[in-house]
Amino acid sequence: MGLWRRRSYGQQNNAETHSPAFDNIPFQSTISENEAESQKSESMDHLKPGAMPISQRLSKRSRMFTRDSWTQEIAACTLAVLCLIAIIAVLLAYQGHHTPIALPVNIKLGSILALLATIIETTITAALASGLSQVAWAKFTKGQLPLSDLENYDRASRGVEGGILTMWRRRGDYKVLLAVVIGILLFLVGPFTQQTINTRKLHDRSTLPRCETTWNPNVQNAWRDLFSQYEGSLSSGSYGVTGKDSQTLQELNKDCPSGNCDFPVYSTLGICSQTTNITDQIKSDDNTLSLPNGLSLTGSASNITGATGKNSTINYGDSWGHYPITRFSLLSKMGSRHGATEGIFYWCVQAYNASVRFNVLNEVQTHSWYDSDAGPKNDTPSITLVPPESEWSALGLKKSTNFSVHDWTTARLDFMSSSLQGVATPESYSILSSLFWAQLVDFQQAMAYTAATMTNRLRSEICNLNATGTQNNVDTVLAVEWAWLILPIITVLLGCIFLALVIIDSRPPEIKLWKSSMLPALFHGLSEDIRRENETGKIMKLKEMEEVAQGINVTLRRRESTGTVDPHEVLMHGSEAGLKKHHSSWWSLGR
C-alpha cells in the first residue's frame, strides 16, 4: 500500500499528487475501488455539516493528558517535595531506635531512603527537561536566535553535558545555568541521603567510690576490715601485686555493667607513705647497732626492732605536720647484714585517672597533695585538708573542697603505730617479723603497697561518695546526620524555583506551551523563504545541517492566513469553515 503518497480530495479530475520526495516510488494500490471509496467517504465525514471539527476533538483529548498545561511538571515537583518530607519523617520516626532496625519483609531503611531519593531525582529531572525545552520556545518567540540553538536547548534538556555546552554557547542565560547546577546536584541527592544514616554508641552513667570525709557512723565494723587489710598487706609478701592485678582495686569496680567505662581525673582522700633508707646512719659498737634516734639492737641474733612517735625519725619531723597517722623507724640485723629504714603514713589528697576495659579497672595515680599545716579547723576535732586553687586542675577539682578526717578515725588507726613498736624475731608471727623480710626485698614498695590497699579499702567500705564517669557501648542506636539533608533540600527547592521561573516566563499569550514536544517543529517548521534560500531540502548530513543552522537566525512568529485553504490541510484541520474559524493564522520559524 502506498503509505507515503499524499491524498487530495476535491481536485479536478481526481488527480493524485505525489510527495516530491517520493515521486520516483511507484504507487501500487492493494485495495478495491469500493474500499477506497469507503475510506474517502469516512475521511470526508469531517467535512459534513454539523460534524465536530478535528481541532475540537484533539483539544478534548489534550485536556485529558494535560500536555498543554504545567500540570504534569507541577505534580512532579509536588511529588519531589512530598518525597523529601517522607525522608525527613522516616528519619525522625527511627532516630534513636536500636539497631539493626526491624522492618516488615526484611526491608532495609537504606532501601526506603534510596527509593525516595530516586523519585526525587526522576521528578526534578522531568521538570528540568520540560522547563529547558520551553525556555527554547519562549526565546525563539521573543526574538531572533540561531536556528542551531533549538538543537542546543534540546541537548540541554537531555542531560548535564548538553546543559554545560549550551551554557557555554548561550552565556548569560541564567535559566540554563540554574538548570545545570540543579542537574549536577541531582547526582548527589542519593549519596547524600544515604549519608544521613549513622549509628552511635549509647553512654550511661558509671561511678567509682571516692572519699571526702571519713565520717560514716554506719560502718563501724569496716574498721576491723581496714586493720585486716593492713595486716594482710604487710604479711602477704605480695608487694609487687599492684595496679589492675590488685584485688582491692578491682573491688572498687562496682558500677560499670558494660565493662567499658571512662572517668575524668578525680580526687579522693587517701593514705600516703614515704620511706627513707637510713642504713648509713647505723653505728656499730661492740656487737651493738644503734641509730641517732636511740633505736638499737644488741647481740648476734637476727632481730628487728621498731619505734614510733614524733622523735622516732630523722627525716620526718615537724615539716610533715603535727597530725600524721604514724611515724616509724626500723632497725634489723641478720648475721653480718643489717639495715635501717624510717617512714611515715599520712593523710593526703590523691588524683587518679581511671578506666574500665573488659570489666577490668585500670587506675593510675596522677597527683598527690599534702598539707603540712593540716589540723583541726573551725573548732572541730577533724583534720581538714583544703587544696589551694593552684592544685585544683591537677586534682580534678572545680571548686574549693574540704577533705576531712574525723578524730575517731585516727584513734581507730592506732594499730598501725602499735604494730611497729617493740622487738621481733624473723620466726615470730607479727607485723615486725613481716617487715624484717620486707627490708631485705623492697621496703619502700611494701609501704606503698600497704598505703594503696588501705586507701582502696577506705574508699570501698567507709566513704560514701562517688566519682562519676561514662559507661560506654551500652547499646547501638540509629543516629541521623541531619546536615547531609541540606543538599537534597536545596536541590528540590531550586528545582521548584526553576519551574516557577519558566512558568512565569511563558505566561504571555503568544508563547505556546510546546515544551519538549517535537510536533511543533514538524507541524509548522521553517518558513518557505528560509527553506528556499538555504535549500534545506537538499541537506542530508547532520553535520551540514548543524553548520547551516548556525548561520540562520530565526524567530517564532504567527503568520496570517490568506483566506485560501490548502486541500492537503483538510484532514488536519477539519472543514474549510472550521479552518477559517479556528486557524486564521499559524506558526512558523522565519526571519
Side-chain angles (χ1 to χ4, degrees):
M1 181 176 181
L3 297 179
W4 297 107
R5 189 180 57 151
R6 204 194 282 178
R7 291 183 183 175
S8 62
Y9 301 98
Q11 293 189 24
Q12 295 178 356
N13 301 325
N14 292 328
E16 293 189 351
T17 305
H18 297 275
S19 173
F22 299 93
D23 280 343
N24 296 326
I25 302 177
F27 173 71
Q28 298 178 356
S29 177
T30 59
I31 59 175
S32 65
E33 293 183 2
N34 292 334
E35 290 173 338
E37 191 66 27
S38 176
Q39 291 180 5
K40 176 180 179 181
S41 177
E42 291 175 359
S43 300
M44 296 299 291
D45 285 344
H46 304 302
L47 303 178
K48 293 179 180 180
M52 179 181 291
I54 293 178
S55 60
Q56 295 181 13
R57 291 166 58 192
L58 289 174
S59 64
K60 287 185 66 176
R61 233 177 256 141
S62 66
R63 284 196 295 270
M64 293 174 59
F65 296 99
T66 65
R67 290 296 302 273
D68 291 327
S69 71
W70 292 104
T71 305
Q72 293 179 350
E73 290 73 15
I74 293 175
C77 283
T78 303
L79 182 58
V81 172
L82 292 177
C83 287
L84 187 60
I85 294 173
I87 289 174
I88 296 174
V90 168
L91 293 175
L92 284 173
Y94 289 100
Q95 184 179 20
H97 279 225
H98 298 288
T99 56
I101 295 176
L103 294 174
V105 249
N106 201 28
I107 298 176
K108 305 299 182 183
L109 185 61
S111 300
I112 296 177
L113 296 181
L115 174 62
L116 293 173
T118 302
I119 295 175
I120 290 176
E121 295 171 12
T122 303
T123 51
I124 297 297
T125 299
L128 284 180
S130 294
L132 274 174
S133 297
Q134 183 60 30
V135 167
W137 294 120
K139 286 187 174 297
F140 276 101
T141 302
K142 293 178 180 180
Q144 284 195 347
L145 293 175
L147 182 60
S148 59
D149 278 5
L150 192 62
E151 173 75 6
N152 294 333
Y153 278 102
D154 181 66
R155 288 177 179 175
S157 69
R158 299 176 187 275
V160 174
E161 181 182 358
I164 293 174
L165 292 175
T166 303
M167 181 178 64
W168 175 254
R169 292 169 180 170
R170 299 296 304 165
R171 289 185 287 274
D173 192 335
Y174 71 94
K175 292 189 185 71
V176 177
L177 174 61
L178 180 58
V180 170
V181 171
I182 297 171
I184 294 173
L185 293 179
L186 283 173
F187 285 110
L188 304 175
V189 167
F192 271 59
T193 303
Q194 293 286 345
Q195 282 293 113
T196 58
I197 300 179
N198 203 349
T199 59
R200 65 181 176 88
K201 301 289 186 180
L202 284 181
H203 303 292
D204 203 356
R205 185 174 177 270
S206 182
T207 60
L208 280 177
R210 59 180 291 268
C211 277
E212 284 186 10
T213 178
T214 60
W215 171 250
N216 190 349
N218 300 320
V219 290
Q220 297 294 331
N221 295 331
W223 295 103
R224 291 183 225 167
D225 296 335
L226 198 61
F227 170 75
S228 299
Q229 184 62 59
Y230 169 76
E231 184 179 38
S233 297
L234 291 176
S235 303
S236 66
S238 303
Y239 310 131
V241 182
T242 57
K244 64 180 183 180
D245 297 322
S246 172
Q247 179 182 350
T248 58
L249 176 62
Q250 298 309 317
E251 289 175 359
L252 300 177
N253 186 14
K254 301 176 181 179
D255 187 23
C256 181
S258 69
N260 189 325
C261 298
D262 291 298
F263 297 87
V265 175
Y266 63 91
S267 57
T268 181
L269 182 67
I271 298 175
C272 293
S273 70
Q274 290 286 337
T275 59
T276 304
N277 191 319
I278 55 172
T279 301
D280 58 346
Q281 300 288 325
I282 298 176
K283 293 183 178 180
S284 178
D285 185 18
D286 294 335
N287 210 24
T288 298
L289 300 178
S290 62
L291 292 171
N293 60 7
L295 194 62
S296 63
L297 279 175
T298 303
S300 59
S302 298
N303 288 307
I304 184 172
T305 183
T308 61
K310 181 178 180 179
N311 299 319
S312 62
T313 63
I314 301 172
N315 299 292
Y316 301 101
D318 292 339
S319 62
W320 285 84
H322 302 283
Y323 297 93
I325 298 173
T326 185
R327 297 182 179 92
F328 63 89
S329 60
L330 301 173
L331 176 62
S332 63
K333 179 182 179 182
M334 183 178 182
S336 60
R337 296 173 57 188
H338 55 268
T341 307
E342 64 178 9
I344 185 174
F345 286 102
Y346 57 97
W347 294 106
C348 63
V349 179
Q350 299 170 330
Y352 291 96
N353 192 347
S355 63
V356 178
R357 294 292 181 269
F358 303 104
N359 294 306
V360 176
L361 174 62
N362 299 278
E363 191 176 63
V364 178
Q365 181 177 323
T366 59
H367 191 60
S368 180
W369 176 79
Y370 170 71
D371 185 5
S372 59
D373 297 325
K377 288 182 173 57
N378 301 326
D379 299 325
T380 64
S382 299
I383 302 172
T384 305
L385 290 80
V386 185
E389 189 172 354
S390 59
E391 297 285 340
W392 290 3
S393 178
L395 293 173
L397 297 174
K398 295 182 179 179
K399 62 180 181 178
S400 180
T401 306
N402 294 339
F403 295 87
S404 59
V405 181
H406 201 270
D407 59 338
W408 57 263
T409 304
T410 303
R412 281 167 173 76
L413 292 179
D414 59 359
F415 61 80
M416 298 180 68
S417 295
S418 60
S419 66
L420 297 174
Q421 298 175 3
V423 179
T425 63
E427 293 81 14
S428 61
Y429 183 78
S430 65
I431 299 295
L432 276 178
S433 63
S434 299
L435 294 177
F436 177 87
W437 298 108
Q439 276 196 311
L440 302 178
V441 183
D442 192 337
F443 187 76
Q444 183 177 3
Q445 184 176 348
M447 294 296 103
Y449 173 75
T450 301
T453 55
M454 291 186 69
T455 297
N456 292 340
R457 187 67 65 187
L458 187 72
R459 290 167 56 187
S460 63
E461 297 191 12
I462 296 176
C463 301
N464 55 6
L465 293 179
N466 291 304
T468 303
T470 302
Q471 184 179 180
N472 303 318
N473 301 341
V474 176
D475 206 348
T476 304
V477 297
L478 177 69
V480 178
E481 304 290 343
W482 292 105
W484 290 101
L485 274 185
I486 294 177
L487 183 137
I489 292 174
I490 291 177
T491 304
V492 173
L493 180 61
L494 291 179
C496 295
I497 292 175
F498 172 81
L499 182 62
L501 291 174
V502 175
I503 292 175
I504 293 172
D505 196 42
S506 301
R507 288 182 63 187
E510 64 270 14
I511 299 177
K512 300 301 181 182
L513 296 184
W514 291 341
K515 295 182 281 190
S516 57
S517 177
M518 294 177 58
L519 294 178
L522 296 174
F523 269 59
H524 305 289
L526 293 171
S527 61
E528 287 291 341
D529 56 337
I530 293 178
R531 291 201 300 267
R532 183 174 57 256
E533 291 178 9
N534 294 277
E535 298 181 337
T536 57
K538 297 181 179 181
I539 302 174
M540 295 299 173
K541 294 184 179 180
L542 183 60
K543 181 65 176 176
E544 294 177 0
M545 292 181 187
E546 292 176 350
E547 292 175 353
V548 172
Q550 290 177 5
I552 302 176
N553 290 331
V554 297
T555 184
L556 188 64
R557 60 182 172 82
R558 190 187 298 270
R559 186 176 62 187
E560 297 299 328
S561 173
T562 60
T564 60
V565 180
D566 185 350
H568 302 302
E569 305 292 337
V570 172
L571 288 179
M572 182 172 65
H573 295 298
S575 66
E576 182 177 352
L579 178 64
K580 289 183 177 180
K581 181 178 181 180
H582 298 286
H583 299 279
S584 60
S585 62
W586 56 88
W587 294 82
S588 67
L589 287 167
R591 291 186 177 89

